[in-house]
């Protein structure tokens, strides 16, 4: 490490129960600013449940989840979490098919600004289109700005979805299986996009089945198994870890 790492999200001994079943069983997890953190693990390991807690969709039975070492995320609802800087791209599409790329992004930017309630209407207009243009460029869809979302390829729609989350200016960007269903070319482009979104004021967490994709994009990985953290470190070390090999690579 050449510089101190600043932890964005810290999860400590987190338990999430569904009846008698613990989907998360004393889970420990961190994601730092400036990094892309991959989260891998077999089906049912609890990856999506982790994202659900971070976004207020599931509640913690016990344990601690903090943002910037202080904000207690387990006490916040979905809206408060989004306003605190937690942004999530879901697997299921949520773009408006009948609207253009630009209109979708414009909506997301306006929604964000409105929710912050800090702009007077007249100046918000100009800033909105600036913000939309910035996001449009980040996701590389400038040429398609006037295309209806319905006409986009699967990959382009996913990038638009990422753009709509970026409109919230999240500190913590959560991506649940971002390359599911994508072609090889789209997967490569998505890897480049995710890498380009890294920055000192953003932590990116990518939940993914595709190990090769994770290896390409992640600075570090957390391997989950049965609601617990089995391994945390580099992908290279994960591949050499016998516990990881046993549970994940199916030996
Ligand atoms: N709402 C729920 N009610 C009951 N069980 C659930 C619920 N959500 C998830 N689970 C269970 O928790 C475990 C972890 O699920 P999940 O977080 O989706 O795993 P992953 O994303 O790693 O595949 C699974 O056994 C799943 O069946
Ligand atoms: Mg899942």
């Amino acid at each position: 490490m050449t510089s101190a790492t600043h932890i964005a999200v810290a999860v400590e001994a987190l338990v999430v129960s569904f009846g008698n079943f613990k989907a998360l069983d004393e889970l420990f997890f961190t994601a730092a600013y400036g990094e892309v953190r991959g989260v891998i693990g077999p089906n049912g390991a609890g990856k999506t449940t982790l994202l659900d807690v971070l976004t207020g969709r599931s509640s913690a039975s016990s344990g601690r989840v903090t943002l910037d070492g202080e904000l207690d995320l387990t006490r916040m609802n979905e809206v408060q979490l989004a306003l605190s800087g937690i942004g999530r791209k879901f697997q299921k599409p949520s773009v408006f098919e009948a609207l253009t790329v630009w209109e979708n992004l414009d909506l997301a930017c306006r929604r964000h600004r409105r929710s912050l309630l800090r702009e007077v209407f007249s100046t918000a207009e100009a800033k909105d289109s600036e913000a939309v243009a910035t996001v449009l460029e980040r996701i590389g869809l400038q040429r398609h700005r006037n295309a209806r979302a319905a006409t986009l390829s699967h990959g382009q729609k996913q990038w638009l979805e990422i753009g709509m989350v970026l409109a919230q200016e999240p500190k913590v960007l959560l991506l649940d299986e971002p390359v599911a269903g994508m072609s090889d070319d789209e997967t490569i482009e998505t890897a480049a996009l995710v890498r380009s979104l890294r920055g000192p004021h953003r932590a990116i967490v990518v939940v993914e089945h595709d190990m090769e994709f994770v290896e390409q994009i992640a600075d570090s990985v957390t391997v989950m198994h049965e609601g617990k953290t089995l391994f945390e470190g580099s992908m290279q070390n994960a591949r050499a870890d016998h516990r990881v090999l046993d549970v994940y690579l199916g030996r």
Side-chain angles (χ1 to χ4, degrees):
M1 279 286 155
T2 50
S3 62
T5 39
H6 296 280
I7 302 296
V9 170
V11 169
E12 296 162 77
L14 179 64
V15 177
V16 173
S17 307
F18 297 111
N20 292 327
F21 176 73
K22 288 180 178 173
L24 297 182
D25 187 5
E26 309 232 332
L27 179 79
F28 286 80
F29 172 82
T30 58
Y33 287 112
E35 78 165 341
V36 176
R37 166 66 58 116
V39 178
I40 58 177
N43 257 330
K47 305 181 295 294
T48 298
T49 303
L50 170 62
L51 299 192
D52 285 344
V53 176
L54 295 176
T55 49
R57 296 207 141 200
S58 289
S59 28
S61 307
S62 60
R64 253 164 72 88
V65 183
T66 51
L67 179 64
D68 297 330
E70 49 184 20
L71 270 183
D72 183 353
L73 300 187
T74 62
R75 301 192 187 283
M76 295 186 185
N77 63 33
E78 285 192 71
V79 175
Q80 291 168 324
L81 286 164
L83 288 176
S84 301
I86 311 279
R88 174 180 190 177
K89 183 198 148 319
F90 287 91
Q91 263 180 274
K92 282 213 199 111
S94 63
V95 298
F96 295 98
E97 300 261 328
L99 300 182
T100 66
V101 167
W102 179 275
E103 288 164 345
N104 267 289
L105 293 174
D106 192 34
L107 247 171
C109 287
R110 280 168 201 270
R111 210 157 40 202
H112 177 59
R113 249 172 228 294
R114 247 199 323 271
S115 62
L116 291 178
L117 289 175
R118 67 175 184 208
E119 301 283 344
V120 287
F121 191 71
S122 55
T123 64
E125 291 294 320
K127 285 190 184 163
D128 265 339
S129 66
E130 236 172 83
V132 175
T134 303
V135 174
L136 185 66
E137 194 185 328
R138 300 216 85 168
I139 59 173
L141 291 181
Q142 299 98 313
R143 285 198 304 122
H144 303 278
R145 56 177 281 168
N146 296 320
R148 292 202 187 286
T151 66
L152 299 176
S153 71
H154 172 69
Q156 290 167 335
K157 260 183 215 170
Q158 299 296 310
W159 302 328
L160 177 55
E161 295 267 348
I162 291 175
M164 292 179 77
V165 182
L166 289 175
Q168 296 170 32
E169 301 170 341
K171 288 177 171 182
V172 179
L173 176 62
L174 308 171
L175 304 172
D176 201 352
E177 305 204 16
V179 297
M182 282 192 184
S183 67
D184 288 352
D185 285 349
E186 287 173 337
T187 300
I188 290 167
E189 280 190 62
T190 304
L193 170 60
V194 173
R195 290 299 292 175
S196 78
L197 297 177
R198 276 163 95 236
H201 306 295
R202 184 177 292 137
I204 303 178
V205 177
V206 182
V207 168
E208 191 50 70
H209 280 305
D210 184 337
M211 287 258 266
E212 280 180 27
F213 178 74
V214 170
E215 187 150 33
Q216 280 172 35
I217 63 161
D219 300 295
S220 58
V221 294
T222 298
V223 183
M224 289 178 60
H225 179 54
E226 294 178 348
K228 294 183 167 69
T229 307
L230 190 67
F231 173 91
E232 210 166 46
S234 71
M235 189 71 202
Q236 198 184 359
N237 288 342
R239 282 191 187 279
D241 189 284
H242 64 89
R243 295 161 308 168
V244 175
L245 292 171
D246 285 344
V247 306
Y248 192 71
L249 303 176
R251 283 202 323 195

